[in-house]
Amino acid sequence: QSALTQPASVSGSPGQSITISCTGTSSDVGSYNLVSWYQQLPGKAPKLIIFEVSKRPSGVSNRFSGSKSGNTASLTISGLQPEDEADYICCSYARSMTPNWVFGGGTKVTVL
Amino acid sequence: QLQLQESGPGLVKPSETLSLTCTVSRGSINSPLYYWGWIRQPPGKGLEWIGTVYYKGSTYYSSSFKSRVTVSVDTSKNQFSLKVNSVTAADTAVYYCARHGIQSNNWFDPWGQGTLVTVSS
């Protein structure tokens, strides 16, 4: 299973909105509403911020939102803040013969 | 809050076996709703799912690792483990354990803090 495709980097000024894309195939993103997004601060473990395409876990800021269209999922960060500077990684369930999960390569978000 | 903690050697020689254990605390590994997975992240690269075990012992593996990897569970110790055979420098990575679901709760949360394993002679 190939990795999901994300842009290597995205940047924005404080207060702006940015969107990170995550492109898969009809075997993963396109087939299941089981896309999740993770925030990874330097040297730390990933933290779940979006599950099932657009749902937020308790305690995650509503500035984070997710969506999906066809084989591409997206994460939008609204009202960008300095503490949002991190890597963001998407993941999709992808069943072939057996359950399988594929991750994106990650997108570095820089707050200018 | 459920917590996961990886443990094991930080240095493994090429061609040998990498062995890691994930200890689950503040919760039980015997949950019918969840599976227990291993994910790795080579330096400067993205995440890669390796394999998953259910508390009853059933397993799923990434086709990228299937022939070299074994994931097992020890419910008496509330732990699950990873073994990777015949390692090379390409297996150098931070290894994470995480809880996830399949039929429901199909996301990875929480994660352990990760442990760096370096393959070098």
Side-chain angles (χ1 to χ4, degrees):
Chain A
Q1 202 78 25
S2 300
L4 307 176
T5 300
Q6 298 182 235
S9 63
V10 172
S11 61
S13 299
Q16 286 186 331
S17 293
I18 61 169
T19 297
I20 301 166
S21 61
C22 170
T23 301
T25 69
S26 57
S27 297
D28 39 63
V29 176
S31 285
Y32 305 97
N33 288 324
L34 294 174
V35 175
S36 51
W37 288 89
Y38 303 86
Q39 179 192 61
Q40 187 174 33
L41 297 170
K44 299 295 186 181
K47 172 192 170 186
L48 177 70
I49 56 172
I50 295 286
F51 64 95
E52 293 180 348
V53 175
S54 61
K55 298 176 181 178
R56 279 189 310 275
S58 174
V60 172
S61 172
N62 59 8
R63 297 185 299 102
F64 294 95
S65 61
S67 62
K68 191 187 88 167
S69 177
N71 296 337
T72 298
S74 299
L75 173 72
T76 298
I77 309 176
S78 304
L80 198 62
Q81 297 183 2
E83 58 263 33
D84 298 331
E85 192 159 288
D87 289 329
Y88 293 85
I89 305 160
C90 62
C91 175
S92 178
Y93 179 67
R95 185 181 180 98
S96 52
M97 297 292 290
T98 57
N100 194 12
W101 288 266
V102 288
F103 287 90
T107 298
K108 171 65 176 176
V109 168
T110 300
V111 181
L112 301 172
Chain B
Q1 285 274 36
L2 188 81
Q3 292 185 341
L4 289 77
Q5 176 72 57
E6 306 88 351
S7 59
L11 181 64
V12 181
K13 290 182 167 56
S15 80
E16 295 190 345
T17 297
L18 179 162
S19 296
L20 296 174
T21 296
C22 182
T23 300
V24 179
S25 59
R26 301 185 182 183
S28 175
I29 206 168
N30 291 321
S31 171
L33 290 178
Y34 294 105
Y35 292 72
W36 306 92
W38 288 97
I39 304 101
R40 77 178 186 181
Q41 186 171 34
K45 296 188 178 181
L47 297 168
E48 186 174 25
W49 172 69
I50 302 170
T52 281
V53 66
Y54 193 49
Y55 77 100
K56 290 187 175 182
S58 55
T59 54
Y60 302 108
Y61 298 113
S62 166
S63 58
S64 301
F65 296 92
K66 194 166 187 176
S67 61
R68 294 198 299 135
V69 164
T70 302
V71 180
S72 59
V73 63
D74 186 338
T75 55
S76 68
K77 295 182 178 179
N78 228 29
Q79 295 176 334
F80 62 106
S81 299
L82 170 72
K83 291 187 185 299
V84 182
N85 300 323
S86 305
V87 296
T88 69
D91 294 307
T92 293
V94 176
Y95 286 76
Y96 295 100
C97 57
R99 183 185 71 174
H100 68 97
I102 297 181
Q103 292 84 355
S104 61
N105 306 305
N106 194 313
W107 53 85
F108 294 89
D109 181 66
W111 296 62
Q113 66 184 27
T115 187
L116 174 63
V117 178
T118 301
V119 178
S120 175
S121 55

